[in-house]
Amino acid sequence: MTSFEDFSLSRRVQQSIDEMGFEEPSPIQAACIPIVLSGSDAIGQAQTGTGKTAAFGIPIVERATPDKHVQALVLTPTRELAIQVAGEFRKIGKYKRVRTLPIYGGQSIGHQIRALQQGVQVVIGTPGRVLDHLRRGTLKLSHVKTVVLDEADEMLDMGFIEDIESILKETPDERQTLLFSATFPSEVKRLSGRYMKSPQHVTVNRGEMTVPLIDQVYYKVLERSKLDSLCRVVDSEEVQLGIIFCRTKRGVDELVEALLARGYLGDGLHGDLSQAQRDRVMKKFRDNDIELLVATDVAARGIDVENVTHVINYDIPQDPESYVHRIGRTGRAGKRGLAITLVTPREFKLLKQIERETHAKMMVREVPSLEDVAERQAEGWRNRIVEAIQSGGLGHYRAILGNIIDDHDPIDVACAALKLASAGELENQSDVDYDFGDTGATPGMVRFFVNVGRSARISPADLVRTISEEAGVPGQSVGKIDIFDRFTFVEIEQESAPFVYEALRQSRINGARVNMEPAKPRTRTR
Ligand code: ADP
Ligand code: MG
């Protein structure tokens, strides 16, 4: 087992990592960080969501010198990723005060030029815009020590190969080159063969694993409504004693706060707590004073509790092994437990990999709608009221009601009492909608425009298969498909639409790059 301390990082970098809430390196980080620190070239191959950014971000920041010139260049396929990676670098470099800058198309180039003039140590950019700055002479790469090709497979898919080659030619030959990619197709292999010097190849696939006999299910959720989804899952699954896993210490603290605010009995466990604090939390959990224990992997490792009914992966684990560890916390002592994983579109491939490598059989479940949850709650209250009547001893309360009954309708009195007793739990709630506006779809559906059609040899079957694989939605949720020469319209059931949209707006069908957008009602007549 590796810990961040094993890398002997400088105090300020270690401090940032602590503040980010990372407790231990993910497998790709454990393998890559020492290699990158040593100055060698490296290829890191791991699925999305496994922590590749910090695998190069931490050693790059560690090796950065105070000199105010560009020391590292990270190329990413999209503007979103450039911003995301820059954000991660800013956190890692916070105490060392390493200056980073994302540069991407769509943002004013003047602003970027001014920022570059002030002296930047790490530039994170999309190939097109980086090349633009090189041609203008506003970006100098002559002192670059490290170049990172992040999400290399995606960059090549997007046709950036020539841009990347031109950029590499502007960097010193003795540079360190790092390449990160979820897959390793021949184009990526060729690129690494041509531009890297005896790279060390790191993959984090670890052969087979045995999974304890536990029922395993997953729910597809969106990042922005994840908390809501979790609450609905907890409500509908009748969690009596559950452990909820988060990726970071920070995530644990935030989730505990949010759960408490919503009236759940929960508490958190992570590496920043003293032994006494940990013992106190564990006692509460064992005594059933709390029903939900929120924990990081590290914190949960040592604990042994009987009767855990549910393990919930609020954040998907970063590798199959950690998945197996986590779900092993339930179903102890001959009792059957349930392991639940929440998965966002970005993480869907990682879930599939976990499923493959653990030979797990994970069944998909739909996040219950708010109406379902409300009905279950109402049912629960009706039962409780009937039980209270049957068990008697209400005379005392009748006395308290006094002559209210004379002045008010008894039904109103009962309703008011129920309202007070349920403390907001039964309030009217409405679903948060992903608003695609009017897309000209059949009622109950959302219509999308897809920028490929017959000329890319797309068939309806390809489309349905891709949608169901990439977004994890059943084929039945795909409705009417209209394929034209250069574009396609496809209708998706409202419930699945956000998931399909998030999963497919940047993807490939039959090797063709795909862009998907909500359709406009007018385009129908085209
Ligand atoms: P990838 O590039 O492999 O898709 P990211 O670098 O975007 O993955 O990381 C995915 C998420 O995991 C991010 O939210 C990141 O902050 C978090 N993360 C990365 N490393 C760790 C770690 N060692 N412990 C906890 N969370 C981590
Ligand atoms: Mg990444």
Side-chain angles (χ1 to χ4, degrees):
M1 193 95 16
T2 321
S3 93
F4 281 111
E5 269 80 22
D6 296 341
F7 305 133
S8 312
L9 300 166
S10 57
R11 190 181 43 80
R12 285 177 301 178
V13 175
Q14 183 62 52
Q15 191 180 353
S16 301
I17 295 171
D18 290 340
E19 194 171 297
M20 290 164 81
F22 292 6
E23 289 196 315
E24 60 175 5
S26 69
I28 190 79
Q29 291 163 3
C32 285
I33 291 175
I35 300 176
V36 181
L37 282 174
S38 78
S40 302
D41 284 5
I43 296 172
Q45 189 187 342
Q47 211 43 264
T48 302
T50 52
K52 295 194 288 298
T53 317
F56 58 82
I58 290 171
I60 285 176
V61 168
E62 176 69 22
R63 279 159 55 94
T65 62
D67 305 320
K68 287 277 184 308
H69 54 243
V70 180
Q71 304 174 22
L73 171 71
V74 181
L75 295 177
T76 69
T78 64
R79 137 207 183 121
E80 284 74 25
L81 279 169
I83 294 170
Q84 214 171 297
V85 170
E88 195 97 337
F89 261 95
R90 199 157 305 139
K91 288 184 207 154
I92 298 168
K94 178 174 168 191
Y95 292 104
K96 193 165 174 182
R97 296 180 191 280
V98 171
R99 301 177 65 141
T100 59
L101 183 72
I103 56 177
Y104 47 83
Q107 190 190 39
S108 133
I109 195 148
H111 163 81
Q112 291 173 358
I113 290 171
R114 278 191 299 280
L116 284 168
Q117 277 165 350
Q118 289 175 10
V120 172
Q121 290 149 291
V122 182
V123 165
I124 301 104
T126 51
R129 188 50 80 93
V130 167
L131 205 53
D132 195 353
H133 280 285
L134 285 174
R135 293 199 173 121
R136 288 165 186 256
T138 45
L139 174 64
K140 297 247 172 1
L141 298 179
S142 46
H143 288 92
V144 161
K145 286 186 297 193
T146 305
V147 174
V148 182
L149 307 174
D150 191 22
E151 313 277 356
D153 48 357
E154 222 178 294
M155 281 201 288
L156 295 191
D157 274 358
M158 294 173 71
F160 282 134
I161 181 69
E162 282 163 22
D163 290 358
I164 293 171
E165 293 186 326
S166 312
I167 294 166
L168 286 173
K169 292 202 177 97
E170 300 288 321
T171 62
D173 286 341
E174 61 280 10
R175 65 165 191 268
Q176 175 184 40
T177 312
L178 309 173
L179 184 151
F180 289 84
S181 200
T183 60
F184 205 60
S186 54
E187 300 94 331
V188 175
K189 222 167 279 169
R190 212 170 308 128
L191 182 72
S192 69
R194 191 170 313 159
Y195 293 98
M196 301 179 76
K197 293 181 292 283
S198 29
Q200 303 201 38
H201 196 136
V202 174
T203 56
V204 292
N205 297 335
R206 290 158 193 251
E208 313 216 331
M209 252 159 291
T210 352
V211 184
L213 269 181
I214 290 165
D215 291 328
Q216 299 165 58
V217 300
Y218 68 90
Y219 287 89
K220 292 168 302 179
V221 301
L222 297 173
E223 195 63 59
R224 53 188 282 277
S225 51
K226 211 168 164 188
L227 175 63
D228 232 31
S229 301
L230 173 72
C231 293
R232 292 196 229 170
V233 168
V234 168
D235 294 343
S236 67
E237 294 281 358
E238 291 174 20
V239 178
Q240 284 145 26
L241 208 55
I243 303 183
I244 303 180
F245 283 95
C246 287
R247 210 147 31 216
T248 63
K249 296 183 263 193
R250 251 209 190 164
V252 167
D253 287 338
E254 286 169 7
L255 185 57
V256 169
E257 276 308 305
L259 288 172
L260 291 177
R262 285 163 180 246
Y264 294 93
L265 299 172
D267 209 336
L269 210 59
H270 58 60
D272 283 355
L273 302 185
S274 68
Q275 190 57 44
Q277 286 170 314
R278 292 172 57 105
D279 292 345
R280 216 172 303 136
V281 174
M282 285 313 298
K283 179 167 177 359
K284 282 201 275 183
F285 193 54
R286 286 204 184 87
D287 295 349
N288 277 327
D289 290 338
I290 52 172
E291 54 203 355
L292 299 173
L293 178 68
V294 186
T296 55
D297 288 285
V298 174
R301 210 160 278 152
I303 67 177
D304 191 14
V305 192
E306 302 240 309
N307 303 330
V308 171
T309 56
H310 293 74
V311 163
I312 303 178
N313 295 311
Y314 182 68
D315 293 324
I316 192 169
Q318 290 186 311
D319 64 310
E321 209 162 72
S322 138
Y323 177 80
V324 173
H325 276 198
R326 286 182 181 188
I327 71 170
R329 308 270 129 209
T330 183
R332 294 291 183 78
K335 295 210 178 66
R336 225 174 160 79
L338 181 65
I340 297 171
T341 302
L342 305 191
V343 59
T344 63
R346 229 173 85 78
E347 297 160 343
F348 197 72
K349 289 189 184 126
L350 182 54
L351 179 91
K352 289 284 148 195
Q353 185 194 342
I354 292 172
E355 208 174 8
R356 234 179 6 255
E357 288 186 24
T358 59
H359 299 284
K361 191 108 208 90
M362 294 191 214
M363 306 298 282
V364 63
R365 281 197 193 163
E366 293 297 320
V367 175
S369 70
L370 282 173
E371 293 92 275
D372 292 345
V373 174
E375 178 43 38
R376 237 180 310 250
Q377 285 170 336
E379 179 74 30
W381 279 97
R382 284 195 292 269
N383 291 339
R384 260 172 277 171
I385 291 171
V386 172
E387 275 165 30
I389 295 171
Q390 284 164 350
S391 57
L394 296 176
H396 172 62
Y397 297 92
R398 189 175 292 266
I400 291 173
L401 281 178
N403 53 8
I404 288 188
I405 301 291
D406 302 336
D407 302 335
H408 297 274
D409 177 7
I411 304 276
D412 281 350
V413 174
C415 292
L418 178 58
K419 179 178 174 182
L420 293 173
S422 62
E425 192 185 313
L426 301 172
E427 296 291 303
N428 267 333
Q429 298 165 328
S430 64
D431 221 327
V432 261
D433 259 335
Y434 223 81
D435 190 7
F436 291 109
D438 178 10
T439 60
T442 320
M445 310 288 283
V446 176
R447 200 167 65 114
F448 288 100
F449 169 86
V450 184
N451 70 338
V452 289
R454 245 193 312 270
S455 58
R457 277 186 256 137
I458 302 294
S459 72
D462 294 331
L463 201 58
V464 172
R465 183 173 34 78
T466 307
I467 288 173
S468 95
E469 274 170 14
E470 299 284 319
V473 305
Q476 301 95 277
S477 42
V478 183
K480 198 157 154 248
I481 299 176
D482 281 327
I483 302 192
F484 296 85
D485 235 22
R486 316 199 138 265
F487 53 87
T488 300
F489 287 108
V490 56
E491 294 195 343
I492 309 286
E493 269 175 13
Q494 228 148 29
E495 284 207 350
S496 299
F499 213 82
V500 171
Y501 176 59
E502 299 276 356
L504 264 93
R505 50 184 180 170
Q506 287 282 356
S507 64
R508 309 192 113 212
I509 302 179
N510 273 1
R513 248 174 297 130
V514 166
N515 185 30
M516 181 184 231
E517 290 163 28
K520 299 187 182 65
R522 284 289 200 71
T523 45
R524 168 153 272 194
T525 54
R526 261 210 267 181

